[in-house]
Amino acid sequence: MAGRDGSPGGEQASSAFREEESVLGTALTTRHIEAFGRKVTSTASHLIGPLGDNHGSSHYQNAMSELQKELRRPGIQQRVFSYAQTSPAELVRSKLSRSEIQHRALTYLPDELLANIPENENVYSLFQGFKATLPDDQNEHRKKHRRHGSRGQKFLAEGDGDADGSPSLKKLKKDRDRLNHRLEMMSVRKNMCSSEIREIDNKISNLNNMRKIVLDRLSGLEEDELQAERDLLDIESKVEDLREELDDVAALRHTSTPPEEPNPDAEPETSETMAMSASFMSASIYEKLPSPKAKRHKVTRRKSMPIRHGHFEPGTNLKELPAHNDMITALDFDAPFGTMITSALDDTVRVWDLNLGRCMGLLEGHHASVRCLQVEDNIVATGSMDASIRLWDLSRADYDPQDNKIGTDGEDDEESGLGFDNPDDAPPPPPASSMQECPLFSLEAHVDEVTALHFRGDTLVSGSADKTLRQWDLVKGRCVQTLDVLWAAAQASASINPTDNTQWRSTSRLPDASADFVGALQCFDAALACGTADGMVRLWDLRSGQVHRSLVGHTGPVTCLQFDDVHLVTGSLDRSIRIWDLRTGSIHDAYAYDNPVTSMMFDTRRIVCAAGEDVAKVYDKTDGRHWDCGAGVAAAEEEGRTAPAVVVERVRIKDGFLVEGRKDGGVGVWTC
């Protein structure tokens, strides 16, 4: 074997191997490896051969010498060294084509994906499922709709049966097999539909979980956004204060004058002239000194509005606040998840942070319960039974939203007064110093309780039980006009032609003694709408102080109203809500309820009202749908409810964010 490998033919083969380009570049070729393996095999066969063989040692020596000669060749040594330095990846690339490598990479599945493969619970195979998706036999379909053939075909068909006219056994078996197959395919289709439903349910569950996570993320972003706006407001106020200080310093430097040199020719001043000059000098100095400026609190609007409440289902309860111990008389808020003001018959007015659901403080100053209020930006106006109106600036409140009821030691801070230890108990009193700087001024001119008010810009209009409307200038803080409702009603009755044979009769009922004489009002520029206890809705012109138009339709006291550019919506104790067209003065739409309407408000899409029930009545103007929103909806669905219903007294809505105040003093926050 060694002689055969050392022949010239072997040298020619080795030269051919050198001339042939290797797949591995400088590595060994396959033929060299096979030749090397044959030599090793022959050497091993001689080594493990019989011990008594005399030729074993010679063969071994010849094989080892041939192997040594092969390994001494420079080409072989270079290829062996190159083969040892080649990485496994290069070996794979040399043996496999690029397309095969790409195919294996794409078809490879990691263990993570293989571990999530759902278990196959289907009792039917893939082929059965594919077969079930095919339509039914076209012949069977044609049998139902084809027309009857000729009488000869009918006789031929009857000939397939037995002699006595009964169908043949073969045909019955065929029909049985066909029906069994059809039932089997229906069962397969039912299983496929059930699997699809389960898969859809799993996807819906996963999407709901993802939606909840994104909603939580959105809530965190809105809280961070609110905190950033508050920090920006603090920085702006500091910049304004520093700018005022610099202006004061500059004014002082400008007013300071150098001392005058004494004039020798001047006459000597007597004590009387010195005293007069000193008095004049003091007056002039005080006139030139800058007067101390009061700290200005700018009315700020939020640069961004919360939107997360629009992603909840309508009728979702966001918060429940045990606000007061008695019936809610008025409430209002500036923006969704913003600041809310509530008043009740317990003679308290509370300020709430709707984002955290905490009481910020109490507005103290009235001597009786507050009957009406309005909040616009940071300014709050409250009208009380003590016949006074007070204005408050909430930007002066000492309230830090970062404070919570968890103390530094991890225990509840019972003295903070900003959290509820037990939701069923009355809310603890908030810090007394939080709203001390909020009062601005008081407006006192009415002689009876203030039952309605509305302000816009620097104008405030109030209505009282003294049967008058008063217009206030908020810049000067005084009453600029008084409107007598009874005088306007008398003027309207006197303006009727007395020569007309038809005697004028009032189209409304007599005023209800238990109802507020001025139930609601709203002003815009020089326009004023007022609803009174006689059921009339009067439109006033504040420039002339005259009634421009009277809307007749309600048969009970008007308790609430609101208007926009085109329509005026009114609610009354006659259990109806009427929508008026301001352009024509006619009724555009109306609908009734089972109980008197005590409160109403609308936004761009919905009209919400409180109608003596434990729910807020919602009317969707877009699709004309009526539905209920409130705690009474869920309570009505529970069987065997024994708890008495809590009547909703006041409602407010802005951008689908609904707040309702109840007769027991509770406040509910809902999406609408």
Side-chain angles (χ1 to χ4, degrees):
M1 178 179 177
R4 187 167 55 250
D5 291 338
S7 61
E11 295 177 356
Q12 293 177 0
S14 62
S15 62
F17 295 156
R18 296 191 194 98
E19 294 175 0
E20 180 182 352
E21 183 179 1
S22 174
V23 179
L24 299 175
T26 59
L28 290 172
T29 61
T30 306
R31 296 182 180 178
H32 282 85
I33 296 176
E34 291 178 355
F36 182 77
R38 285 196 298 269
K39 295 183 186 303
V40 173
T41 302
S42 61
T43 303
S45 63
H46 283 83
L47 289 175
I48 65 177
L51 298 177
D53 191 1
N54 297 329
H55 302 285
S57 59
S58 60
H59 285 293
Y60 175 73
Q61 293 177 357
N62 293 333
M64 293 301 294
S65 61
E66 292 294 335
L67 183 61
Q68 188 177 8
K69 290 178 181 180
E70 290 289 337
L71 292 176
R72 284 181 178 179
R73 294 180 179 178
I76 296 297
Q77 293 180 358
Q78 184 179 3
R79 290 187 177 92
V80 170
F81 179 76
S82 176
Y83 185 78
Q85 296 295 327
T86 305
S87 63
E90 293 177 352
L91 291 176
V92 172
R93 292 192 186 99
S94 63
K95 292 298 182 182
L96 300 177
S97 62
R98 182 181 297 273
S99 60
E100 187 174 0
I101 293 175
Q102 293 177 353
H103 174 72
R104 293 192 179 187
L106 293 175
T107 56
Y108 171 72
L109 294 176
D111 296 337
E112 292 80 4
L113 294 179
L114 295 177
N116 294 329
I117 295 179
E119 297 181 359
N120 186 12
E121 300 177 355
N122 295 328
V123 296
Y124 301 101
S125 63
L126 181 62
F127 177 75
Q128 289 176 325
F130 175 74
K131 189 175 181 181
T133 57
L134 297 177
D136 293 336
D137 191 4
Q138 297 295 332
N139 295 331
E140 298 295 332
H141 180 71
R142 291 173 182 174
K143 286 182 179 180
K144 298 179 181 179
H145 301 283
R146 66 183 181 181
R147 298 179 179 178
H148 297 285
S150 60
R151 179 174 296 183
Q153 293 178 352
K154 184 176 180 181
F155 288 152
L156 291 176
E158 293 177 355
D160 295 338
D162 295 339
D164 55 355
S166 61
S168 62
L169 180 62
K170 183 178 181 180
K171 184 178 180 182
L172 292 176
K173 289 183 177 180
K174 183 178 179 181
D175 294 342
R176 183 190 63 184
D177 295 340
R178 178 177 56 80
L179 293 176
N180 287 333
H181 175 72
R182 186 178 180 185
L183 288 175
E184 183 180 2
M185 292 300 101
M186 290 182 179
S187 178
V188 174
R189 293 174 184 173
K190 285 172 55 181
N191 187 269
M192 292 172 62
C193 294
S194 178
S195 300
E196 290 180 3
I197 292 174
R198 285 195 298 268
E199 184 178 358
I200 292 173
D201 292 339
N202 294 332
K203 290 181 179 180
I204 292 175
S205 177
N206 294 333
L207 289 176
N208 287 332
N209 294 332
M210 294 176 62
R211 189 176 188 274
K212 184 178 179 181
I213 294 173
V214 176
L215 277 177
D216 295 339
R217 190 187 309 163
L218 178 60
S219 177
L221 288 175
E222 289 186 350
E223 292 180 0
D224 296 342
E225 189 179 48
L226 179 60
Q227 181 61 32
E229 289 190 7
R230 286 173 175 167
D231 295 341
L232 179 61
L233 181 61
D234 293 340
I235 294 176
E236 289 179 352
S237 61
K238 292 179 181 179
V239 170
E240 189 70 21
D241 294 341
L242 182 58
R243 187 176 299 170
E244 290 181 359
E245 293 179 1
L246 294 177
D247 293 342
D248 294 343
V249 173
L252 286 173
R253 289 178 180 177
H254 181 70
T255 55
S256 62
T257 57
E260 297 181 356
E261 297 181 358
N263 188 4
D265 299 335
E267 296 181 357
E269 297 181 352
T270 62
S271 60
E272 183 177 358
T273 58
M274 291 178 64
M276 291 179 61
S277 62
S279 63
F280 288 142
M281 182 62 70
S282 299
S284 63
I285 288 176
Y286 283 114
E287 286 177 0
K288 292 180 180 179
L289 288 176
S291 61
K293 297 180 181 180
K295 187 177 180 182
R296 289 181 292 178
H297 294 269
K298 298 184 298 183
V299 177
T300 58
R301 292 181 179 271
R302 289 196 58 179
K303 297 181 180 180
S304 59
M305 298 301 295
I307 60 173
R308 69 176 182 270
H309 65 279
H311 298 282
F312 290 95
E313 290 293 331
T316 302
N317 181 237
L318 299 179
K319 291 184 185 298
E320 287 288 338
L321 303 176
H324 296 272
N325 299 325
D326 208 335
M327 184 181 73
I328 300 291
T329 56
L331 57 83
D332 195 12
F333 64 98
D334 56 355
F337 297 102
T339 303
M340 179 180 67
I341 316 296
T342 59
S343 64
L345 291 180
D346 57 3
D347 298 343
T348 60
V349 181
R350 294 180 180 269
V351 184
W352 299 87
D353 185 351
L354 287 177
N355 189 34
L356 301 178
R358 301 187 308 186
C359 181
M360 299 168 55
L362 281 78
L363 299 180
E364 298 177 343
H366 286 289
H367 303 293
S369 298
V370 170
R371 294 293 311 277
C372 54
L373 61 87
Q374 180 187 352
V375 55
E376 191 72 24
D377 296 328
N378 292 325
I379 304 301
V380 179
T382 56
S384 172
M385 298 176 67
D386 60 4
S388 67
I389 301 170
R390 290 183 178 269
L391 273 81
W392 319 76
D393 188 357
L394 297 183
S395 64
R396 300 182 179 183
D398 184 13
Y399 170 71
D400 187 3
Q402 297 299 325
D403 294 338
N404 50 36
K405 62 180 180 179
I406 304 299
T408 56
D409 54 353
E411 298 180 355
D412 291 349
D413 187 5
E414 298 180 356
E415 298 180 357
S416 65
L418 295 178
F420 301 156
D421 296 333
N422 188 357
D424 298 332
D425 298 336
S433 61
S434 59
M435 299 292 168
Q436 286 183 350
E437 303 296 329
C438 292
L440 292 178
F441 51 85
S442 177
L443 305 176
E444 297 179 357
H446 287 290
V447 296
D448 206 339
E449 60 177 312
V450 180
T451 58
L453 62 83
H454 186 271
F455 73 92
R456 184 180 181 89
D458 296 333
T459 301
L460 184 145
V461 180
S462 60
S464 171
D466 59 7
K467 301 177 177 56
T468 62
L469 305 175
R470 293 184 182 268
Q471 180 183 356
W472 305 84
D473 187 351
L474 298 182
V475 176
K476 299 178 180 180
R478 65 180 184 180
C479 179
V480 297
Q481 185 175 197
T482 301
L483 307 175
D484 193 339
V485 180
L486 293 181
W487 179 83
Q491 289 294 110
S493 61
S495 63
I496 298 179
N497 188 5
T499 61
D500 192 356
N501 295 330
T502 304
Q503 185 179 2
W504 177 79
R505 293 179 301 174
S506 176
T507 57
S508 61
R509 295 180 179 178
L510 294 176
D512 190 355
S514 62
D516 297 330
F517 185 82
V518 180
L521 57 85
Q522 181 184 350
C523 62
F524 179 80
D525 198 9
L528 171 65
C530 171
T532 53
D534 58 356
M536 299 284 289
V537 179
R538 296 177 175 87
L539 305 181
W540 299 74
D541 188 351
L542 293 179
R543 294 168 296 186
S544 61
Q546 300 294 327
V547 176
H548 176 66
R549 176 178 292 174
S550 298
L551 305 179
V552 180
H554 284 294
T555 59
V558 177
T559 57
C560 46
L561 65 81
Q562 183 184 354
F563 64 83
D564 55 10
D565 298 337
V566 179
H567 295 105
L568 169 67
V569 183
T570 58
S572 171
L573 294 183
D574 62 1
R575 301 177 298 177
S576 69
I577 284 184
R578 298 174 184 265
I579 304 175
W580 308 80
D581 192 336
L582 292 177
R583 297 165 297 185
T584 60
S586 60
I587 294 180
H588 174 72
D589 195 2
Y591 48 92
Y593 292 106
D594 297 333
N595 299 296
V597 177
T598 58
S599 179
M600 181 276 305
M601 188 177 181
F602 67 85
D603 59 4
T604 57
R605 179 171 178 174
R606 309 162 192 85
I607 299 177
V608 182
C609 69
E613 299 184 15
D614 56 354
V615 294
K617 298 292 186 178
V618 183
Y619 171 66
D620 196 325
K621 297 184 291 184
T622 304
D623 54 9
R625 182 173 62 95
H626 291 266
W627 58 285
D628 298 338
C629 179
V633 177
E637 296 177 355
E638 299 177 1
E639 297 181 358
R641 185 185 66 170
T642 58
V646 181
V647 177
V648 176
E649 291 289 336
R650 295 290 183 267
V651 293
R652 303 295 290 177
I653 184 174
K654 292 181 182 179
D655 298 331
F657 190 87
L658 171 65
V659 177
E660 45 98 0
R662 309 187 185 111
K663 200 167 187 176
D664 63 348
V667 174
V669 183
W670 306 81
T671 59
C672 186

